[in-house]
Amino acid sequence: MSQPIPITPELVGEAYAALASGDPATVRQYWSQDLVWLVPGNHALAGTYRGLEAFLDFMRKTALLSNNSFRMDPITVLTNDEYSADVTHNLGFRAKTPGDATSPYSKLDIDVIHLLRWRDGKVVEGRGAVFGDGTTRFDQFWSQVAADGTRTDQ
């Protein structure tokens, strides 16, 4: 019987680095084909993504909507035998934001916690948690915005 793969902060960092690499073979080393990912909020990207391809499509959309500026800077990682929780500082700038650069829709600058469940060294489930006024800013940033600054979708 094989030993379980220990979930460590280093493993979590490697999984995110694999995701950032964009290389499908590297991503599959850390992210399960049957991944389920929950994006919180009230915006077009919110919802549950089932399967690695659906999750990667979501990631491509975030890159497109942020003109590849979206990033998650790690703050700390907690782990046990089945879960990891990572705190990140998320920063991004919305592509083609109407109005001036001071619009609440143009910049995302929040702290987030991602709760990941692991099996056999791969992420099988994930969800994000955004707190306080960060939830409003998260929704505003990812929502479609009309030229007059109003949200055009939920």
Side-chain angles (χ1 to χ4, degrees):
M1 191 157 125
S2 66
Q3 294 284 33
I5 297 171
I7 302 165
T8 63
E10 292 78 19
L11 180 66
V12 175
E14 290 169 12
Y16 281 120
L19 192 59
S21 78
D23 176 55
T26 304
V27 170
R28 284 191 294 274
Q29 290 177 17
Y30 298 93
W31 300 85
S32 174
Q33 281 298 123
D34 61 349
L35 172 70
V36 176
W37 190 267
L38 176 66
V39 177
N42 185 20
H43 52 85
L45 296 179
T48 302
Y49 295 85
R50 297 187 183 281
L52 184 58
E53 287 310 311
F55 174 66
L56 293 176
D57 284 344
F58 158 72
M59 295 301 293
R60 285 188 277 276
K61 288 177 188 173
T62 63
L64 178 68
L65 292 173
S66 69
N67 200 26
N68 292 311
S69 69
F70 179 75
R71 70 175 203 247
M72 301 184 315
D73 297 325
I75 296 172
T76 194
V77 178
L78 305 170
T79 64
N80 70 15
D81 292 341
E82 186 178 1
Y83 289 92
S84 65
D86 58 271
V87 181
T88 63
H89 182 78
N90 292 8
L91 182 64
F93 298 90
R94 185 64 187 256
K96 300 179 183 172
T97 303
D100 70 354
T102 62
S103 163
Y105 303 106
S106 64
K107 181 179 180 183
L108 182 66
D109 189 0
I110 61 173
D111 292 330
V112 174
I113 294 177
H114 296 104
L115 179 65
L116 307 180
R117 188 167 61 91
W118 296 75
R119 185 183 331 115
D120 300 325
K122 293 184 179 186
V123 179
V124 295
E125 183 180 336
R127 62 187 67 227
V130 184
F131 303 97
D133 69 344
T135 40
T136 299
R137 289 185 280 150
F138 188 72
D139 283 344
Q140 289 173 338
F141 183 79
W142 292 119
S143 292
Q144 296 297 317
V145 182
D148 66 0
T150 58
R151 289 175 27 179
T152 60
D153 70 10
Q154 298 293 331

